[in-house]
């Protein structure tokens, strides 16, 4: 049944089906979500009680990766599939290391774009950061528009971020070619930070719950797709992997920011079901 239009919803928001960006926001304790997203999230928690902790672990990896890049001298970032603003946004983490850091956020969900713009304006940093509505699948559109903001200098290294988003690119879509196109546009010395859900090497004792969650997401407007560790590694072809290479999200530089979420997975990092990596373009 189609819901009545919500006057507070940004234009273009689909409230007929739950959306991954808004569900993820709910998992993290945010408020940029609607009843249909919360109902979905509550069912997901009933099915797989640790899903909120897993969501936090993925978010914490993003923070550690951004901090690492900033400490290597990267001062401009392109965050594609940035989602709804929540604790530990890229520009906040980057500027904590380098006050002059800049970031362009890109997402195809109107709620994420609208709230990102509100956050930047509220914090008084809209002149140094920008947000665009765009689809990761279309680098020919996203890349030039990101440069048109004037925030990024294409002649200097950029930190390209695709964390928690590539698994929404269908298995019948050219995910590898899309990533390679973005990487081909980056200048030498740039970094690529990414994570992905996998069923490769995850615990089997809760396999039924994970399968139910997977099927539940197929009913949303943003179904996700698993990829193997080998498939994920292909995204980093030609890049110099930062140690420890392809790893579980809670295993990637945990010393850079140990938290409750990663601590819960200390004994079995594979429980997160999330693999990740950071690569540098020679």
């Amino acid at each position: 049944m189609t819901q009545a239009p919500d006057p507070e919803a940004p234009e273009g928001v689909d409230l007929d089906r739950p959306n991954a960006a808004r569900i993820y926001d709910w998992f993290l304790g945010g408020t940029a979500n609607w009843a249909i997203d919360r109902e979905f999230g509550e069912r997901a928690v009933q099915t797989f009680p640790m899903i909120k902790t897993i969501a936090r672990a993925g978010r914490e990896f993003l923070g550690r990766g951004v901090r690492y890049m900033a400490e290597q001298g990267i001062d401009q970032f392109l965050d594609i599939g940035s989602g709804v603003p929540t604790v530990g946004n890229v520009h906040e983490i980057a500027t904590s290391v380098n006050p002059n850091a800049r970031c362009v956020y890109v997402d195809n969900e109107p709620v994420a774009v609208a709230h990102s713009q509100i956050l930047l304006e509220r914090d008084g940093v809209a002149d140094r950061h920008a947000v665009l509505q765009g689809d990761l699948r279309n680098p020919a559109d996203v890349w030039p528009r990101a440069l048109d903001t004037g925030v990024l200098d294409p002649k200097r290294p950029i930190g390209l971020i695709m964390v928690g988003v590539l698994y929404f690119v269908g298995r019948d879509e050219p995910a590898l070619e899309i990533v390679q196109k973005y990487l081909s546009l980056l200048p030498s010395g740039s970094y690529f930070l990414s994570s992905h859900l996998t069923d490769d090497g995850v615990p089997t004792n809760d396999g039924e719950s994970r399968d139910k969650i997977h099927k539940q997401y197929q009913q949303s407007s943003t179904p996700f797709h698993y990829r193997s560790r080998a498939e994920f590694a292909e995204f980093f072809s030609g890049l110099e992997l930062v140690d420890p290479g392809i790893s579980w999200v809670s295993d990637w530089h945990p010393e850079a920011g140990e938290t409750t979420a990663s601590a819960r997975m200390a004994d079995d990092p594979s429980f997160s079901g999330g693999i990740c990596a950071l690569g540098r373009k020679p």
Side-chain angles (χ1 to χ4, degrees):
M1 182 176 179
T2 301
Q3 292 192 9
D6 185 333
E8 296 184 0
E11 184 178 354
V13 171
D14 178 6
L15 295 182
D16 290 338
R17 291 189 294 172
N19 174 272
R22 305 190 310 254
I23 297 165
Y24 185 63
D25 173 68
W26 183 83
F27 286 153
L28 296 175
T31 59
N33 48 75
W34 273 260
I36 195 167
D37 308 306
R38 295 188 287 273
E39 291 167 3
F40 182 100
E42 287 165 357
R43 291 199 310 273
V45 170
Q46 290 173 2
T47 301
F48 194 22
M50 283 289 287
I51 195 167
K52 284 188 174 182
T53 301
I54 288 174
R56 288 197 299 272
R59 187 71 181 180
E60 290 160 5
F61 160 70
L62 168 66
R64 298 197 302 273
V66 171
R67 186 172 295 107
Y68 180 95
M69 288 188 283
E71 290 173 347
Q72 308 312 305
I74 299 298
D75 62 0
Q76 51 179 356
F77 299 85
L78 177 57
D79 185 2
I80 304 180
S82 53
V84 176
T86 185
V87 176
N89 295 298
V90 170
H91 76 279
E92 295 168 332
I93 295 168
T95 55
S96 72
V97 178
N98 180 349
N100 296 316
R102 295 169 172 263
C103 180
V104 174
Y105 294 104
V106 181
D107 204 280
N108 65 351
E109 164 57 42
V111 170
V113 175
H115 280 264
S116 296
Q117 190 62 50
I118 291 171
L119 175 67
L120 297 179
E121 292 173 355
R122 184 195 68 192
D123 292 351
V125 295
D127 59 329
R128 290 194 296 108
H129 309 290
V131 56
L132 304 172
Q133 185 168 352
D135 194 322
L136 176 152
R137 299 171 179 83
N138 192 357
D141 171 67
V142 170
W143 181 260
R145 290 174 57 220
L147 297 185
D148 285 346
T149 64
V151 171
L152 304 176
D153 179 355
K155 297 180 181 178
R156 297 193 303 108
I158 294 171
L160 174 64
I161 301 168
M162 295 183 187
V163 168
V165 66
L166 285 173
Y167 44 78
F168 295 116
V169 179
R171 297 194 62 84
D172 58 344
E173 297 179 284
L176 180 58
E177 289 81 354
I178 292 169
V179 171
Q180 289 176 332
K181 178 59 178 177
Y182 282 108
L183 295 180
S184 72
L185 296 167
L186 294 176
S188 176
S190 295
Y191 284 83
F192 175 50
L193 182 75
S194 188
S195 65
H196 206 291
L197 290 176
T198 187
D199 56 0
D200 185 355
V202 299
T204 56
N205 58 349
D206 64 350
E208 184 179 355
S209 295
R210 291 178 191 264
D211 185 55
K212 287 180 179 178
I213 287 291
H214 189 217
K215 290 179 179 177
Q216 187 174 332
Y217 265 87
Q218 306 315 301
Q219 301 167 14
S220 74
S221 61
T222 42
F224 72 81
H225 311 272
Y226 292 123
R227 286 185 173 85
S228 69
R229 182 176 288 255
E231 288 174 313
F232 180 67
E234 288 184 336
F235 293 138
F236 292 84
S237 178
L239 302 183
E240 300 168 348
L241 285 177
V242 173
D243 287 339
I246 309 296
S247 68
W248 300 107
V249 291
S250 59
D251 264 356
W252 198 91
H253 290 255
E255 75 287 348
E258 186 64 40
T259 64
T260 302
S262 56
R264 291 290 295 273
M265 297 169 195
D267 293 336
D268 185 7
S270 67
F271 183 81
S272 69
I275 48 178
C276 64
L278 175 64
R280 181 181 182 277
K281 184 174 181 178

Coordinates of all heavy atoms in Angstrom, one line a residue, residues 101-166:
A101 N 41.4 20.0 5.3 CA 40.9 18.9 4.5 C 39.5 19.3 3.9 O 38.7 20.0 4.5 CB 40.7 17.7 5.4
R102 N 39.2 18.7 2.7 CA 38.0 18.9 2.0 C 37.3 17.6 1.6 O 38.0 16.6 1.5 CB 38.3 19.8 0.7 CG 38.8 21.2 1.0 CD 39.3 21.9 -0.2 NE 39.7 23.3 0.1 CZ 38.9 24.3 -0.2 NH1 37.7 24.1 -0.8 NH2 39.2 25.5 0.1
C103 N 36.0 17.7 1.4 CA 35.3 16.4 1.0 C 34.1 16.7 0.1 O 33.4 17.7 0.4 CB 34.9 15.7 2.3 SG 34.0 14.1 1.9
V104 N 33.9 15.9 -0.9 CA 32.7 15.9 -1.6 C 31.9 14.6 -1.4 O 32.5 13.5 -1.5 CB 33.0 16.0 -3.2 CG1 31.7 15.9 -4.0 CG2 33.6 17.3 -3.5
Y105 N 30.7 14.7 -0.9 CA 29.9 13.6 -0.6 C 28.9 13.3 -1.8 O 28.4 14.3 -2.4 CB 29.0 13.8 0.6 CG 29.7 13.9 1.9 CD1 29.9 15.2 2.5 CD2 30.2 12.8 2.5 CE1 30.6 15.3 3.7 CE2 30.8 12.9 3.8 CZ 31.0 14.1 4.4 OH 31.7 14.2 5.6
V106 N 28.7 12.0 -2.2 CA 27.8 11.7 -3.3 C 26.9 10.5 -2.8 O 27.4 9.5 -2.3 CB 28.6 11.2 -4.5 CG1 27.6 10.9 -5.7 CG2 29.6 12.3 -5.0
D107 N 25.6 10.7 -3.0 CA 24.7 9.6 -2.7 C 23.5 9.7 -3.6 O 23.2 10.8 -4.1 CB 24.3 9.6 -1.2 CG 23.8 8.3 -0.8 OD1 22.7 7.9 -1.0 OD2 24.6 7.6 -0.1
N108 N 22.8 8.6 -3.9 CA 21.7 8.6 -4.8 C 20.4 8.7 -4.0 O 19.3 8.8 -4.6 CB 21.6 7.4 -5.7 CG 21.5 6.1 -5.0 OD1 21.5 6.0 -3.8 ND2 21.3 5.0 -5.7
E109 N 20.4 8.7 -2.6 CA 19.3 8.8 -1.8 C 19.0 10.2 -1.4 O 19.9 10.9 -0.8 CB 19.5 7.9 -0.5 CG 18.5 8.2 0.6 CD 17.0 8.0 0.2 OE1 16.7 7.1 -0.5 OE2 16.2 8.9 0.6
P110 N 17.9 10.8 -1.8 CA 17.6 12.2 -1.5 C 17.7 12.6 0.0 O 18.1 13.7 0.3 CB 16.2 12.4 -2.0 CG 16.0 11.4 -3.1 CD 16.8 10.2 -2.6
V111 N 17.3 11.7 0.9 CA 17.4 12.0 2.3 C 18.9 12.2 2.7 O 19.2 13.1 3.5 CB 16.8 10.8 3.1 CG1 17.1 11.0 4.6 CG2 15.3 10.8 2.9
A112 N 19.7 11.3 2.2 CA 21.2 11.4 2.5 C 21.7 12.8 2.0 O 22.5 13.5 2.7 CB 21.9 10.3 1.9
V113 N 21.4 13.1 0.8 CA 21.8 14.4 0.2 C 21.3 15.6 1.0 O 22.1 16.5 1.4 CB 21.4 14.5 -1.3 CG1 21.8 15.8 -1.8 CG2 22.1 13.4 -2.1
A114 N 20.0 15.6 1.3 CA 19.4 16.7 2.0 C 20.0 16.9 3.4 O 20.3 18.0 3.8 CB 17.9 16.5 2.1
H115 N 20.2 15.8 4.1 CA 20.7 15.9 5.5 C 22.2 16.3 5.5 O 22.7 17.0 6.4 CB 20.5 14.6 6.2 CG 19.1 14.5 6.8 ND1 18.8 14.8 8.1 CD2 17.9 14.1 6.2 CE1 17.5 14.6 8.3 NE2 16.9 14.2 7.1
S116 N 22.9 15.8 4.5 CA 24.3 16.2 4.3 C 24.5 17.7 4.1 O 25.3 18.3 4.8 CB 25.0 15.4 3.2 OG 25.0 14.0 3.4
Q117 N 23.6 18.2 3.3 CA 23.7 19.7 3.0 C 23.3 20.5 4.3 O 24.0 21.5 4.6 CB 22.7 20.0 1.9 CG 22.9 21.5 1.4 CD 24.2 21.7 0.8 OE1 24.7 21.0 0.0 NE2 24.9 22.8 1.3
I118 N 22.3 20.0 5.0 CA 21.9 20.7 6.3 C 23.1 20.7 7.2 O 23.4 21.7 7.9 CB 20.7 20.0 6.9 CG1 19.5 20.3 6.0 CG2 20.5 20.5 8.3 CD1 18.3 19.5 6.4
L119 N 23.8 19.5 7.4 CA 24.9 19.4 8.3 C 26.0 20.3 7.9 O 26.6 21.0 8.8 CB 25.4 17.9 8.3 CG 26.7 17.7 9.1 CD1 26.4 17.8 10.6 CD2 27.2 16.3 8.8
L120 N 26.4 20.4 6.6 CA 27.5 21.3 6.2 C 27.1 22.7 6.4 O 28.0 23.5 6.9 CB 27.8 21.0 4.7 CG 28.3 19.6 4.3 CD1 28.5 19.5 2.8 CD2 29.5 19.3 5.1
E121 N 25.9 23.1 6.2 CA 25.5 24.5 6.4 C 25.4 24.8 7.9 O 25.8 25.9 8.3 CB 24.1 24.7 5.7 CG 24.2 24.7 4.2 CD 22.8 24.7 3.5 OE1 21.8 24.7 4.3 OE2 22.8 24.8 2.3
R122 N 24.9 23.9 8.7 CA 24.8 24.1 10.1 C 26.2 24.3 10.7 O 26.4 25.1 11.6 CB 24.1 22.9 10.8 CG 23.9 23.1 12.3 CD 23.6 21.8 12.9 NE 24.7 20.8 12.9 CZ 24.6 19.5 13.2 NH1 23.5 19.0 13.4 NH2 25.7 18.8 13.2
D123 N 27.2 23.5 10.2 CA 28.5 23.6 10.8 C 29.4 24.7 10.2 O 30.5 24.9 10.6 CB 29.3 22.2 10.5 CG 28.7 21.1 11.4 OD1 27.9 21.4 12.3 OD2 29.1 19.9 11.2
G124 N 28.8 25.4 9.2 CA 29.4 26.5 8.6 C 30.6 26.1 7.7 O 31.6 26.9 7.6
V125 N 30.6 24.9 7.1 CA 31.7 24.5 6.3 C 31.3 24.2 4.9 O 32.0 23.5 4.1 CB 32.3 23.2 7.0 CG1 33.0 23.6 8.3 CG2 31.3 22.1 7.1
A126 N 30.1 24.7 4.5 CA 29.6 24.4 3.1 C 30.5 25.0 2.0 O 30.4 24.6 0.9 CB 28.2 24.9 3.0
D127 N 31.4 25.9 2.4 CA 32.3 26.5 1.4 C 33.5 25.6 1.2 O 34.1 25.8 0.1 CB 32.7 27.9 1.9 CG 33.5 27.8 3.2 OD1 33.1 27.0 4.1 OD2 34.4 28.7 3.5
R128 N 33.8 24.7 2.0 CA 34.9 23.8 1.9 C 34.5 22.4 1.5 O 35.4 21.6 1.2 CB 35.8 23.8 3.1 CG 36.5 25.1 3.3 CD 37.6 25.0 4.4 NE 37.1 24.7 5.7 CZ 37.3 23.5 6.3 NH1 37.9 22.5 5.6 NH2 36.8 23.3 7.5
H129 N 33.3 22.0 1.7 CA 32.8 20.7 1.4 C 31.5 20.8 0.5 O 30.9 21.9 0.5 CB 32.5 19.9 2.7 CG 33.6 20.0 3.7 ND1 34.8 19.3 3.5 CD2 33.7 20.6 4.9 CE1 35.6 19.5 4.5 NE2 34.9 20.3 5.4
A130 N 31.2 19.7 -0.1 CA 30.0 19.7 -1.0 C 29.3 18.4 -1.0 O 29.9 17.4 -0.6 CB 30.4 20.1 -2.4
V131 N 28.1 18.4 -1.4 CA 27.3 17.2 -1.5 C 26.5 17.2 -2.8 O 26.0 18.2 -3.3 CB 26.3 17.0 -0.3 CG1 25.4 18.2 -0.2 CG2 25.5 15.7 -0.4
L132 N 26.5 16.0 -3.5 CA 25.8 15.8 -4.8 C 24.9 14.6 -4.7 O 25.2 13.6 -4.0 CB 26.8 15.6 -5.9 CG 28.0 16.6 -6.1 CD1 28.9 16.0 -7.1 CD2 27.4 17.9 -6.6
Q133 N 23.8 14.7 -5.4 CA 23.0 13.5 -5.7 C 23.4 12.9 -7.0 O 23.5 13.5 -8.0 CB 21.5 13.8 -5.7 CG 20.6 12.6 -5.9 CD 19.1 12.9 -5.7 OE1 18.8 14.0 -5.3 NE2 18.3 11.9 -5.9
G134 N 23.9 11.6 -6.9 CA 24.4 11.0 -8.1 C 24.5 9.5 -7.8 O 24.4 9.0 -6.7
D135 N 24.6 8.7 -8.9 CA 24.6 7.3 -8.9 C 26.1 6.8 -9.1 O 26.7 7.1 -10.2 CB 23.7 6.7 -9.9 CG 23.4 5.2 -9.7 OD1 24.4 4.5 -9.4 OD2 22.3 4.8 -9.9
L136 N 26.6 6.0 -8.2 CA 27.9 5.5 -8.3 C 28.1 4.8 -9.6 O 29.2 4.8 -10.2 CB 28.1 4.4 -7.2 CG 29.4 3.6 -7.1 CD1 29.7 3.3 -5.6 CD2 29.3 2.3 -7.9
R137 N 27.1 4.2 -10.2 CA 27.2 3.5 -11.4 C 27.5 4.3 -12.7 O 27.8 3.8 -13.7 CB 25.9 2.7 -11.7 CG 25.5 1.7 -10.7 CD 24.1 1.2 -10.9 NE 23.7 0.2 -10.0 CZ 23.1 0.5 -8.8 NH1 23.0 1.7 -8.4 NH2 22.8 -0.5 -8.0
N138 N 27.5 5.6 -12.5 CA 27.7 6.5 -13.6 C 28.9 7.5 -13.4 O 28.7 8.7 -13.2 CB 26.4 7.3 -13.9 CG 26.4 8.1 -15.2 OD1 27.4 8.1 -15.9 ND2 25.3 8.7 -15.5
P139 N 30.1 7.0 -13.5 CA 31.3 7.8 -13.2 C 31.4 9.0 -14.2 O 31.9 10.0 -13.9 CB 32.5 6.9 -13.3 CG 31.9 5.7 -14.1 CD 30.5 5.6 -13.7
A140 N 30.8 8.8 -15.4 CA 30.9 9.9 -16.4 C 30.1 11.1 -16.0 O 30.3 12.2 -16.5 CB 30.4 9.3 -17.8
D141 N 29.1 10.9 -15.1 CA 28.3 12.0 -14.5 C 28.9 12.4 -13.2 O 29.0 13.6 -13.0 CB 26.9 11.5 -14.4 CG 26.0 12.5 -13.6 OD1 25.8 13.6 -14.1 OD2 25.6 12.2 -12.5
V142 N 29.2 11.5 -12.3 CA 29.6 11.8 -11.0 C 31.0 12.6 -10.9 O 31.1 13.6 -10.3 CB 29.7 10.6 -10.1 CG1 30.4 10.9 -8.8 CG2 28.3 10.0 -9.9
W143 N 31.9 12.1 -11.7 CA 33.3 12.6 -11.6 C 33.3 14.1 -12.0 O 33.8 15.0 -11.3 CB 34.3 11.8 -12.4 CG 35.7 12.3 -12.4 CD1 36.3 13.0 -13.4 CD2 36.6 12.1 -11.4 NE1 37.6 13.3 -13.0 CE2 37.8 12.8 -11.8 CE3 36.6 11.5 -10.1 CZ2 39.0 12.8 -11.0 CZ3 37.7 11.5 -9.3 CH2 38.9 12.1 -9.7
P144 N 32.8 14.5 -13.2 CA 32.9 15.9 -13.6 C 32.1 16.8 -12.7 O 32.5 17.9 -12.4 CB 32.4 15.9 -15.0 CG 31.6 14.7 -15.2 CD 32.3 13.7 -14.3
R145 N 31.0 16.3 -12.2 CA 30.2 17.2 -11.3 C 30.9 17.3 -9.9 O 30.8 18.4 -9.3 CB 28.8 16.5 -11.1 CG 27.9 16.6 -12.3 CD 26.6 15.9 -12.1 NE 25.9 16.4 -11.0 CZ 25.2 15.6 -10.1 NH1 25.2 14.3 -10.3 NH2 24.6 16.1 -9.1
A146 N 31.6 16.3 -9.5 CA 32.4 16.4 -8.3 C 33.5 17.5 -8.4 O 33.7 18.3 -7.5 CB 33.0 15.1 -7.9
L147 N 34.1 17.5 -9.6 CA 35.2 18.5 -9.9 C 34.6 19.9 -10.0 O 35.2 20.9 -9.6 CB 36.0 18.1 -11.1 CG 36.7 16.8 -11.1 CD1 37.6 16.6 -12.3 CD2 37.6 16.7 -9.8
D148 N 33.4 20.0 -10.6 CA 32.7 21.3 -10.8 C 32.4 22.0 -9.5 O 32.2 23.2 -9.5 CB 31.4 21.1 -11.6 CG 31.7 20.8 -13.1 OD1 32.9 21.1 -13.5 OD2 30.8 20.4 -13.8
T149 N 32.4 21.2 -8.4 CA 32.1 21.9 -7.1 C 33.3 22.8 -6.7 O 33.1 23.7 -5.9 CB 32.0 20.9 -6.0 OG1 33.2 20.1 -5.8 CG2 30.8 19.9 -6.3
G150 N 34.5 22.6 -7.3 CA 35.6 23.4 -7.0 C 36.3 22.9 -5.7 O 37.3 23.5 -5.2
V151 N 35.8 21.9 -5.0 CA 36.3 21.4 -3.8 C 37.6 20.6 -4.0 O 38.5 20.6 -3.2 CB 35.3 20.6 -3.0 CG1 35.9 19.9 -1.8 CG2 34.1 21.5 -2.6
L152 N 37.6 19.8 -5.1 CA 38.7 18.9 -5.4 C 39.6 19.4 -6.4 O 39.2 20.0 -7.4 CB 38.1 17.5 -5.8 CG 37.1 16.8 -4.9 CD1 36.6 15.6 -5.5 CD2 37.7 16.5 -3.5
D153 N 40.9 19.2 -6.2 CA 41.9 19.5 -7.2 C 42.4 18.2 -7.9 O 43.0 17.3 -7.2 CB 43.1 20.1 -6.6 CG 44.2 20.5 -7.5 OD1 44.1 20.1 -8.7 OD2 45.2 21.1 -7.1
P154 N 42.0 17.9 -9.2 CA 42.3 16.7 -9.8 C 43.7 16.4 -10.1 O 44.1 15.3 -10.5 CB 41.5 16.7 -11.1 CG 41.4 18.2 -11.4 CD 41.3 18.9 -10.1
K155 N 44.6 17.4 -9.8 CA 46.0 17.2 -10.1 C 46.7 16.7 -8.8 O 47.9 16.4 -8.9 CB 46.6 18.6 -10.5 CG 46.0 19.1 -11.9 CD 46.7 20.4 -12.2 CE 46.1 20.9 -13.6 NZ 46.7 22.2 -14.0
R156 N 46.0 16.7 -7.7 CA 46.6 16.2 -6.4 C 45.9 15.0 -5.9 O 44.8 14.8 -6.3 CB 46.6 17.4 -5.4 CG 47.4 18.6 -5.7 CD 47.5 19.5 -4.5 NE 46.2 19.9 -3.9 CZ 45.8 19.5 -2.8 NH1 46.5 18.6 -2.1 NH2 44.6 19.9 -2.3
P157 N 46.6 14.2 -5.1 CA 46.0 12.9 -4.7 C 44.7 13.1 -4.0 O 44.5 14.1 -3.2 CB 47.1 12.4 -3.7 CG 48.4 12.9 -4.2 CD 48.0 14.3 -4.7
I158 N 43.8 12.2 -4.2 CA 42.4 12.2 -3.7 C 42.2 10.9 -2.9 O 42.6 9.8 -3.4 CB 41.4 12.3 -4.8 CG1 41.5 13.7 -5.5 CG2 40.0 12.1 -4.3 CD1 40.7 13.9 -6.7
G159 N 41.5 10.9 -1.8 CA 41.1 9.7 -1.1 C 39.7 9.4 -1.6 O 38.7 10.0 -1.3
L160 N 39.6 8.3 -2.5 CA 38.3 7.9 -3.0 C 37.7 6.8 -2.0 O 38.4 5.8 -1.7 CB 38.5 7.2 -4.4 CG 37.3 6.6 -5.0 CD1 36.2 7.6 -5.3 CD2 37.6 5.9 -6.3
I161 N 36.5 7.0 -1.6 CA 35.8 6.2 -0.6 C 34.6 5.5 -1.2 O 33.7 6.2 -1.7 CB 35.5 7.0 0.6 CG1 36.7 7.6 1.2 CG2 34.8 6.1 1.6 CD1 36.4 8.6 2.3
M162 N 34.5 4.2 -1.1 CA 33.3 3.5 -1.5 C 33.1 2.4 -0.4 O 33.3 1.2 -0.6 CB 33.4 2.8 -2.8 CG 33.5 3.8 -4.0 SD 33.5 2.9 -5.6 CE 33.8 4.2 -6.7
V163 N 32.7 2.9 0.8 CA 32.6 2.0 2.0 C 31.1 1.6 2.1 O 30.2 2.5 2.2 CB 33.1 2.7 3.2 CG1 32.7 1.9 4.5 CG2 34.6 2.8 3.2
G164 N 30.8 0.3 2.2 CA 29.5 -0.1 2.4 C 28.5 0.2 1.3 O 27.3 0.5 1.6
V165 N 29.0 0.2 0.1 CA 28.1 0.6 -1.0 C 28.2 -0.3 -2.2 O 27.2 -0.5 -2.9 CB 28.3 2.1 -1.4 CG1 29.7 2.2 -2.1 CG2 27.3 2.6 -2.4
L166 N 29.3 -0.9 -2.5 CA 29.5 -1.7 -3.7 C 28.6 -2.9 -3.7 O 28.3 -3.5 -4.8 CB 31.0 -2.1 -3.9 CG 31.9 -0.9 -4.4 CD1 33.3 -1.4 -4.4 CD2 31.5 -0.5 -5.8

